[in-house]
Amino acid sequence: IEEMTLPFVGDDRSYYTSSSNKYMDTFGYIFGYEKSSSSTGKWLYQYFYDYYYFYNIPTSIRKVTITDAINIPSNAFYNCDFIEEIQINNVKEIHQYAFYNCSSLVRLNSDKDGEFNIPQTVTSISSYAFYNCEKAEEITLSNNVTSILKGAFSGCQNITKFNSDNENEMVVPSKCEEIGDEAFKGLKLIKTVIVPNTVKSIGKGAFSGCDSIEEMTLPFVGDDRSYYTYNSDKYMDTFGYIFGYEKSL
């Protein structure tokens, strides 16, 4: 198999809220799986809950089209580092770890290499959703996105345009309220960052490893607009907090 067109990811259109059932939400479920107490298996690791779940996914697959899903579940394409193109239609939610370590993914809702067009219906980018999607170069997403959570784009080191038509520029969506810890860690080609006034909080190390930044527009200094009165918390009031920190005696 090189290409697949499916109506949804996993066993059905539902989204499991119980961790004990989430192993059925993965792309690999339809190819069979085995579970083990060991972190080493002969197939592809995609999920952990009490046991490690390994799936017998054909590594020949290069393109997947999902035609009728509202959700892309947690861990859906976790570790599918051989898939090069994914098309998703009508999706409203992309859950955590959905495209985690899809390091060969070069097209998302696009025919152009490097272009990831996140559906305009998606309003939150969950934790680690696009972690280490290192072939992403241009990201577009809706201005209705209200949160970009922990590690969402961490490791996407080749991004040159983030929600912007300008090279080496990141424009956080105009309705965004929350940027999580290490959300943009390692975006080393970005030179200009614009964060709108709608943002209420910026997590620790949100821009860690963004070593080429020359200009930043921010709504406040530190993690949020508050001013800490306790000395034990004042480290979060610094400009450096959003770039990550270490502490030492």
Side-chain angles (χ1 to χ4, degrees):
I1 300 174
E2 295 181 354
E3 296 188 22
M4 294 192 78
T5 299
L6 300 165
F8 48 78
V9 180
D11 67 330
D12 60 24
R13 286 179 175 80
S14 66
Y15 172 72
Y16 292 103
T17 55
S18 170
S19 295
S20 61
N21 293 326
K22 284 184 181 293
Y23 71 94
M24 293 186 284
D25 274 339
T26 63
F27 178 59
Y29 180 77
I30 61 174
F31 300 102
Y33 69 93
E34 60 179 20
K35 59 183 180 180
S36 173
S37 57
S38 170
S39 61
T40 303
K42 62 182 179 180
W43 294 339
L44 185 78
Y45 167 66
Q46 281 207 289
Y47 185 65
F48 176 83
Y49 180 75
D50 289 339
Y51 294 93
Y52 295 90
Y53 286 80
F54 299 91
Y55 299 83
N56 191 21
I57 306 173
T59 57
S60 56
I61 295 174
R62 295 294 178 265
K63 179 179 179 180
V64 178
T65 301
I66 305 298
T67 58
D68 193 37
I70 295 175
N71 297 293
I72 301 298
S74 300
N75 295 64
F77 294 98
Y78 190 106
N79 267 344
C80 290
D81 57 1
F82 44 86
I83 296 176
E84 297 175 356
E85 180 176 346
I86 296 176
Q87 301 288 332
I88 49 177
N89 300 312
N90 306 316
V91 168
K92 294 183 179 179
E93 295 182 73
I94 296 175
H95 292 272
Q96 62 183 359
Y97 300 99
F99 301 102
Y100 183 100
N101 200 36
C102 288
S103 56
S104 293
L105 186 63
V106 71
R107 294 178 296 278
L108 180 72
N109 286 351
S110 177
D111 295 323
K112 178 184 175 183
D113 284 359
E115 189 170 80
F116 283 39
N117 294 318
I118 298 170
Q120 294 292 299
T121 44
V122 173
T123 57
S124 177
I125 310 299
S126 297
S127 299
Y128 300 102
F130 295 95
Y131 177 89
N132 203 37
C133 288
E134 59 184 33
K135 294 202 172 177
E137 296 176 3
E138 301 178 18
I139 302 286
T140 61
L141 62 166
S142 169
N143 277 321
N144 291 319
V145 167
T146 58
S147 58
I148 300 173
L149 300 181
K150 184 176 181 177
F153 295 98
S154 179
C156 298
Q157 60 184 354
N158 291 308
I159 291 176
T160 57
K161 295 180 181 179
F162 188 94
N163 210 37
S164 173
D165 292 329
N166 298 323
E167 285 288 338
N168 308 110
E169 183 174 76
M170 171 188 293
V171 179
V172 174
S174 60
K175 294 184 180 179
C176 188
E177 298 181 358
E178 178 183 2
I179 299 173
D181 295 354
E182 299 183 348
F184 303 113
K185 182 178 179 180
L187 273 65
K188 62 184 181 181
L189 301 180
I190 295 297
K191 294 181 178 180
T192 302
V193 174
I194 300 171
V195 179
N197 288 340
T198 52
V199 169
K200 297 176 181 178
S201 65
I202 302 176
K204 177 183 68 177
F207 299 97
S208 171
C210 298
D211 297 332
S212 296
I213 294 176
E214 297 176 357
E215 297 184 28
M216 292 192 83
T217 300
L218 300 166
F220 48 77
V221 178
D223 68 329
D224 60 24
R225 287 180 173 82
S226 67
Y227 173 73
Y228 292 100
T229 56
Y230 292 102
N231 287 336
S232 59
D233 295 326
K234 285 185 181 294
Y235 70 96
M236 292 185 284
D237 276 338
T238 63
F239 178 57
Y241 180 77
I242 62 174
F243 300 102
Y245 68 91
E246 61 180 17
K247 55 184 180 180
S248 174
L249 295 175

